[in-house]
Amino acid sequence: GVLGGMGPESTAELLVRITRATPAAREQDHLRVLIDSNPQIPNRTDALLSGNLSPVVDALVETAGSLVRAGAGIIGIPCNTAHAFLADVRKAVDTPIIDMVDETARRASELFEPGAAVGLLATDGTLRTRLYHEALQRHGLVGIGPPTPGVQNAVMDALDAVKLHGPSEEAYGALGAAVRNLASEGATAVIAACTEASLVLERHPPDLPWLDPLQILAEALVREAQTD
């Protein structure tokens, strides 16, 4: 099951990625995928910055419940910032929920040298909670970010624009500037730690090696569904 809508295009892209990641010799070998794309879930960054968390938690739990009632045996959430609320959602539903942030940090530890500095292209909410900083540290790496304030403001504007209008050259310009800024701070690789950043960098890869949590989530969902 996919607890989506944050934003809608990232959720649609995840279905494409799941389909492509599934080894299938015939149509019937593909997975049954239940999607609740719920853009009415309140803004996650706004909630984290204001401290008013309960409306987001309630909406995530309600949406997860709809997937469980529909028969989902495993759930993925294609929104990095929403993972700040993961523990609350896990308490409310028994169905396993994949931790996209930890999956990505583990993949980074397999690809990069111990102690490597990894830049983070993420929302203010994700950066404020230090979700990726802590996950990378657990796996022996160092998270770098946010970029300098003016650059990060442009990143936030770009991510909001992608939610409304899809990836664009303008959005890549903002993210490209952030990658250069993070590299100047010592980053030797970057993580597209917002699903909208995944959409942009997939079309315009940065100059540094990069990891795509949206792709990693798709692969993890396929892995877990096939071993369920």
Side-chain angles (χ1 to χ4, degrees):
V2 176
L3 200 176
M6 307 169 283
E9 188 157 348
S10 299
T11 300
E13 178 67 18
L14 179 62
L15 178 58
V16 173
R17 304 287 187 91
I18 291 169
T19 304
R20 291 175 178 168
T22 304
R26 57 182 188 142
E27 180 181 345
Q28 287 72 25
D29 292 335
H30 281 283
L31 300 170
R32 184 177 182 184
V33 181
L34 302 169
I35 297 175
D36 191 336
S37 184
N38 182 7
Q40 279 68 53
I41 295 171
N43 185 280
R44 283 67 58 200
T45 288
D46 290 349
L48 291 166
L49 297 182
S50 70
N52 185 22
L53 308 182
S54 59
V56 174
V57 172
D58 291 347
L60 289 169
V61 168
E62 189 278 327
T63 310
S66 76
L67 290 168
V68 173
R69 290 189 296 275
I74 187 83
I75 293 173
I77 307 174
C79 172
N80 290 271
T81 313
H83 281 67
F85 309 90
L86 180 61
D88 294 305
V89 183
R90 281 176 162 171
K91 287 177 191 172
V93 298
D94 293 330
T95 300
I97 303 174
I98 289 174
D99 185 339
M100 176 168 61
V101 175
D102 191 70
E103 291 277 347
T104 301
R106 182 182 299 114
R107 180 75 62 86
S109 72
E110 295 168 356
L111 294 175
F112 307 135
E113 295 294 324
V118 183
L120 299 170
L121 296 170
T123 65
D124 293 341
T126 296
L127 293 167
R128 177 74 65 89
T129 59
R130 298 187 68 79
L131 286 171
Y132 270 97
H133 294 83
E134 293 173 4
L136 289 167
Q137 186 176 33
R138 287 196 302 270
H139 291 279
L141 301 170
V142 177
I144 302 292
T148 54
V151 174
Q152 178 62 16
N153 289 342
V155 168
M156 285 297 294
D157 288 344
L159 298 176
D160 287 342
V162 173
K163 287 180 186 291
L164 295 175
H165 309 298
S168 66
E169 292 283 348
E170 291 77 14
Y172 174 67
L175 296 184
V179 170
R180 292 190 293 275
N181 187 262
L182 293 166
S184 73
E185 296 295 322
T188 57
V190 293
I191 293 174
C194 172
T195 47
E196 279 68 43
S198 295
L199 297 175
V200 175
L201 295 194
E202 193 230 353
R203 292 160 176 78
H204 303 280
D207 294 333
L208 292 180
W210 72 289
L211 284 181
D212 184 352
L214 194 63
Q215 179 64 29
I216 291 167
L217 175 61
E219 294 170 6
L221 282 165
V222 171
R223 180 193 72 216
E224 295 300 317
Q226 291 182 326
T227 58
D228 189 12

